[in-house]
């Protein structure tokens, strides 16, 4: 059954609740891999931000369910992979970033609605949604593939002394 979910632009007063939800996600899923020194700042990534949204339970005032940010991605790992893959004539990339859903609100379509909002904003800017996801984050990989992303590259990287693979995905056009 789908929760009644409202997607709206993130407001400054949402940040504390988003940090708390991010803490729950980190403990449940190990995302983000490294807990940031300043999590509120981590939720505002560097570079041009094209929008940040939260999912809110419309039946419980102020109850946050999830978060996503869209950034210009020419200099991001997935954006660079897209430009290598598609060539200079292709649409410029926009990066899906900081996407997480509260562990208590999973599998109710919240993540899909957040992706819808970010992808629609990319479309309004004439940009193609891309993202990178660690191969070991299986739920997220399956979620993105199910949504319609496809893999364009796989990049080895070392995180916390562990060899990992970042899958670079782009929305199927
Ligand atoms: C990935 C994540 C955002 C998905 O959010 P969600 O609200 O549970 O996703 P949805 O309910 O919209 O799921 C849509 C589809 O994705 C797939 N999916 C979602 N979670 C899945 C899981 N754990 N295993 C397999 N498939 C999954 C399913 O096909 C699902 O459709 P269905 O419910 O009809 O089967 C959430 O699991 C999460 O926050 N994970 C931790 C943070 C993270 O890894 N973020 C991504 C960083 S790159």
């Amino acid at each position: 059954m789908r929760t009644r979910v409202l997607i709206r632009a993130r407001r400054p007063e949402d940040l504390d609740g988003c940090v708390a939800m991010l803490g729950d996600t980190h403990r449940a899923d190990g995302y983000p891999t490294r807990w940031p020194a300043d999590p509120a700042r981590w939720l505002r990534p560097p570079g041009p931000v094209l929008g940040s949204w939260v999912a809110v339970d419309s039946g419980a005032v102020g109850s946050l369910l999830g978060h996503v940010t869209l950034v210009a991605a020419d200099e991001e790992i997935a954006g660079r992979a897209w430009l290598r893959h598609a060539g200079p004539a292709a649409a410029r990339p926009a990066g899906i970033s900081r996407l997480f859903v509260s562990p208590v609100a999973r599998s109710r379509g919240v993540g899909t609605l957040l992706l819808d909002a970010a992808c629609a904003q990319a479309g309004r800017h004439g940009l193609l949604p891309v993202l990178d996801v660690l191969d070991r984050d299986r739920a997220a990989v399956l979620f993105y593939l199910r949504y319609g992303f496809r893999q364009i590259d796989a990049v080895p990287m070392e995180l916390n002394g562990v060899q990992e693979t970042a899958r670079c995905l782009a929305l199927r056009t």
Side-chain angles (χ1 to χ4, degrees), residues 31 99-101 106-112 139-140 142-144 146:
Y31 174 85
L99 173 64
F100 53 95
V101 170
R106 301 271 170 86
S107 298
R108 298 182 206 161
V110 176
T112 299
L142 291 168
F143 164 77
Y144 291 128
R146 153 85 184 249

Side-chain angles (χ1 to χ4, degrees), residues 13 24-26 36 40 42 46 54-55 67 70 72 74 81 91 100 111 114-115 126 138 160:
E13 59 266 31
D24 293 340
T25 303
H26 180 67
W42 185 86
V54 290
H67 176 275
L70 186 75
D74 290 49
F100 53 95
L114 286 163
L115 261 189
R138 303 308 297 176
N160 294 345

Side-chain angles (χ1 to χ4, degrees), residues 59-167:
V61 177
S63 174
L64 291 169
L65 302 175
H67 176 275
V68 69
T69 290
L70 186 75
V71 297
D74 290 49
E75 303 302 325
E76 304 273 318
I77 176 174
R80 289 200 303 268
W82 167 250
L83 294 170
R84 278 196 307 274
H85 173 86
R92 312 303 294 179
I96 306 288
S97 185
R98 285 28 174 185
L99 173 64
F100 53 95
V101 170
S102 164
V104 298
R106 301 271 170 86
S107 298
R108 298 182 206 161
V110 176
T112 299
L113 290 172
L114 286 163
L115 261 189
D116 286 346
C119 290
Q121 177 78 332
R124 283 190 285 274
H125 285 269
L127 303 173
L128 186 87
V130 301
L131 60 93
D132 61 274
V133 56
L134 289 181
D135 184 54
R136 72 169 150 81
D137 289 339
R138 303 308 297 176
V141 169
L142 291 168
F143 164 77
Y144 291 128
L145 293 177
R146 153 85 184 249
Y147 189 87
F149 282 82
R150 69 192 160 117
Q151 184 164 329
I152 51 170
D153 204 356
V155 179
M157 58 170 57
E158 194 180 302
L159 273 178
N160 294 345
V162 177
Q163 203 58 40
E164 304 269 13
T165 301
R167 293 184 182 220

